[in-house]
Amino acid sequence: IREWVQSRCDAMKPEIEEWNAAYAIWETKRAGMQDALKQCAKKGEPTGELESDLKSIQQDRPTHPRVPRLFLENETPQSLRKKLSAETDGAWLSCALMSDEAGTILGGHAMQGDTKLEMLTTWNRQWDGKGTQTGRVGDGDSNTDGSLMSVGISGQHSVVRKFIADGEAAGCGALARFW
């Protein structure tokens, strides 16, 4: 599978380069239209036609090709939801959170403090196929309905024991799903 992902990514390089150029062109046109709209508004001139043109340009935004990213490892809950959200350009709507070194996942930033419970419940909902709906001022909304996730973690007994010691993994149902 990893070979397929790599070959697919390699094959998509020209398509991604083409998208990068198309997006740069679109961004430039949109910025120019926004500037023109500001100038007319400052002068008190009519802006109806420019507003219409800007709406049209906005609808022509190039869509990023979906790039396969099947294997994830050290992710925060926010990053995981973004990568599995249909609203994210180029998102691949299925993944496996996998590592042969449990500490990279279980000992990472996402498993510290308050974030640990958020991460575990995000795993639970994705694994159950329920998805999550999230609203953030800075990042905007995300919806992972329809996305799929699997978890595969291998690790030494001491790493796993440390992870489950506080009882959160068992209490939220993650142990029953993943171990």
Side-chain angles (χ1 to χ4, degrees):
I1 294 174
R2 289 183 193 276
E3 289 175 9
W4 177 84
V5 169
Q6 186 60 53
S7 69
R8 186 72 187 119
C9 287
D10 290 345
M12 291 182 76
K13 284 180 182 176
E15 185 179 353
I16 292 168
E17 288 175 11
E18 184 176 315
W19 176 84
N20 284 331
Y23 190 81
I25 292 166
W26 174 82
E27 254 185 334
T28 302
K29 285 181 179 179
R30 186 178 68 146
M33 191 62 61
Q34 288 171 329
D35 289 344
L37 186 61
K38 284 179 192 176
Q39 294 304 317
C40 282
K42 281 181 185 179
K43 295 176 184 176
E45 297 174 354
T47 60
E49 188 176 328
L50 288 171
E51 290 174 26
S52 178
D53 291 346
L54 184 58
K55 288 177 185 177
S56 178
I57 287 172
Q58 189 63 35
Q59 292 174 354
D60 292 337
R61 181 177 184 260
T63 302
H64 195 288
R66 292 208 185 270
V67 180
R69 183 135 189 241
L70 299 178
F71 299 104
L72 304 177
E73 194 167 22
N74 190 355
E75 301 290 331
T76 64
Q78 298 84 0
S79 172
L80 183 61
R81 285 191 298 265
K82 186 174 183 175
K83 288 177 180 160
L84 291 173
S85 173
E87 286 96 9
T88 302
D89 258 2
W92 194 263
L93 302 181
S94 62
C95 73
L97 190 61
M98 298 184 73
S99 180
D100 58 356
E101 287 294 338
T104 61
I105 294 174
L106 305 182
H109 172 73
M111 293 298 182
Q112 307 302 315
D114 295 339
T115 310
K116 180 177 180 180
L117 186 58
E118 180 186 4
M119 183 58 134
L120 291 172
T121 54
T122 297
W123 287 9
N124 289 349
R125 292 190 62 88
Q126 291 306 136
W127 188 82
D128 290 344
K130 294 179 182 170
T132 56
Q133 292 76 40
T134 307
R136 298 288 185 268
V137 173
D139 295 334
D141 297 339
S142 69
N143 180 346
T144 63
D145 284 345
S147 62
L148 305 170
M149 187 184 86
S150 183
V151 176
I153 303 171
S154 300
Q156 277 63 27
H157 185 71
S158 62
V159 174
V160 176
R161 183 183 305 173
K162 181 180 178 183
F163 172 73
I164 64 174
D166 65 5
E168 278 189 329
C172 74
L175 282 182
R177 288 174 177 89
F178 304 112
W179 283 278

